[in-house]
Amino acid sequence: MAATDDSFHLYSYFASSCCQRVIIAAHLKSIPLTFTFLDLATDAHLAAPYRDSLNPSRTVPTLVVTHGHDHKTTIIRQSLAILEYLEERLPSPSPLLPGSPEQRALVRDLVGIIVVDVAPPTNSRITQRVRDIRGERDDQREFARACFTDGLRAYEALLAGTAGTAGTAAAGAFSVGEAVTMADVCLVPTVDQALMYEMDISFVPRVKRLYESLKALPAFQAADWRRQPDTPEKYRV
């Protein structure tokens, strides 16, 4: 268990890649989470109590940290901000940022590809709006696939460009260095989302090998969207 008296409560949804990032990091850092599950399919995240008191963006995740020494709360509403907070508060075990400024910059470059370039346009709120323009499901699918393709190709290019350089993993087991970083924590849920769209990711072989290697690790297995308490039975593995 992480060395803190604080408690960590996550508002989550099984199919959210952003929630999955936080759950992976919590497992890596041995942070026990309690949950409130919001069913986005029934618009639970749009309800006034959640919107008004916790998250005006009406999104997940939201992390509520209750501090053990005074019982005050800290509320964090964006997954990347949550990851940075957990890293600053509890850098060990499993630090998610490497030691050198150069490696940290590379991790943040890779994280940016996922959380800035790929995740926002492939969010269901955006893809549904694309679908609504003409009422065509194929528009939604092709738009999302194009966004995943562009982002994963950029990620692949950075992996290829840094392969064999100092501080990178020669075997491709991790995005940067010899341990899981924030880049890996962000990449895997996004690849999961791409696979939901029935994409073949063989066009990015380094990313594919990296994804398969990471998915074998306990923290990534525990955070798999198909294994969450609120995952519907038809999706469970």
Side-chain angles (χ1 to χ4, degrees):
M1 183 177 292
T4 177
D5 293 329
D6 294 353
S7 63
F8 300 83
H9 190 95
L10 187 68
Y11 289 77
S12 184
Y13 177 61
F14 78 98
S16 165
S17 61
C18 297
C19 293
Q20 191 178 348
R21 298 170 192 164
V22 177
I23 297 169
I24 292 169
H27 278 283
L28 288 167
K29 292 181 173 295
S30 300
I31 299 170
L33 295 174
T34 59
F35 290 89
T36 294
F37 299 108
L38 299 176
D39 186 353
L40 271 59
T42 62
D43 293 337
H45 58 302
L46 304 181
Y50 181 71
R51 177 195 66 210
D52 296 342
S53 64
L54 288 172
N55 192 326
S57 294
R58 301 173 297 173
T59 59
V60 290
T62 297
L63 182 68
V64 179
V65 183
T66 303
H67 302 287
H69 64 284
D70 59 10
H71 303 291
K72 292 182 179 179
T73 59
T74 297
I75 304 175
I76 314 173
R77 304 164 182 87
Q78 293 290 333
S79 64
L80 187 55
I82 293 170
L83 293 181
E84 293 276 3
Y85 175 84
L86 296 180
E87 180 65 8
E88 291 171 359
R89 282 285 316 278
L90 300 163
S92 63
S94 299
L96 298 180
L97 289 171
S100 76
E102 292 75 20
Q103 284 183 294
R104 286 176 179 241
L106 177 56
V107 167
R108 288 180 168 123
D109 263 351
L110 292 166
V111 167
I113 289 173
I114 299 300
V115 305
V116 177
D117 296 343
V118 179
T122 58
N123 183 281
S124 60
R125 292 188 301 170
I126 304 304
T127 59
Q128 183 61 51
R129 289 173 183 174
V130 172
R131 178 178 176 175
D132 289 345
I133 293 172
R134 301 194 309 167
E136 296 288 341
R137 183 185 181 92
D138 285 348
D139 290 349
Q140 178 182 8
R141 292 167 64 87
E142 293 310 309
F143 174 79
R145 286 174 174 174
C147 295
F148 284 121
T149 297
D150 290 347
L152 293 178
R153 280 180 172 157
Y155 205 103
E156 177 86 359
L158 284 192
L159 292 180
T162 59
T165 60
T168 60
F174 308 103
S175 293
V176 179
E178 302 296 334
V180 173
T181 65
M182 205 174 289
D184 302 310
V185 169
C186 293
L187 173 67
V188 165
T190 288
V191 175
D192 280 343
Q193 293 279 354
L195 296 176
M196 288 182 191
Y197 277 90
E198 300 177 339
M199 289 187 65
D200 177 359
I201 63 168
S202 59
F203 68 96
V204 281
R206 286 182 172 84
V207 168
K208 186 173 185 290
R209 288 194 300 271
L210 174 60
Y211 170 79
E212 291 170 350
S213 175
L214 292 167
K215 285 292 278 191
L217 300 178
F220 291 86
Q221 291 183 5
D224 191 291
W225 67 275
R226 297 164 295 181
R227 293 189 172 99
Q228 300 312 298
D230 62 325
T231 301
E233 190 61 36
K234 63 182 178 179
Y235 297 129
R236 300 187 72 83
V237 292

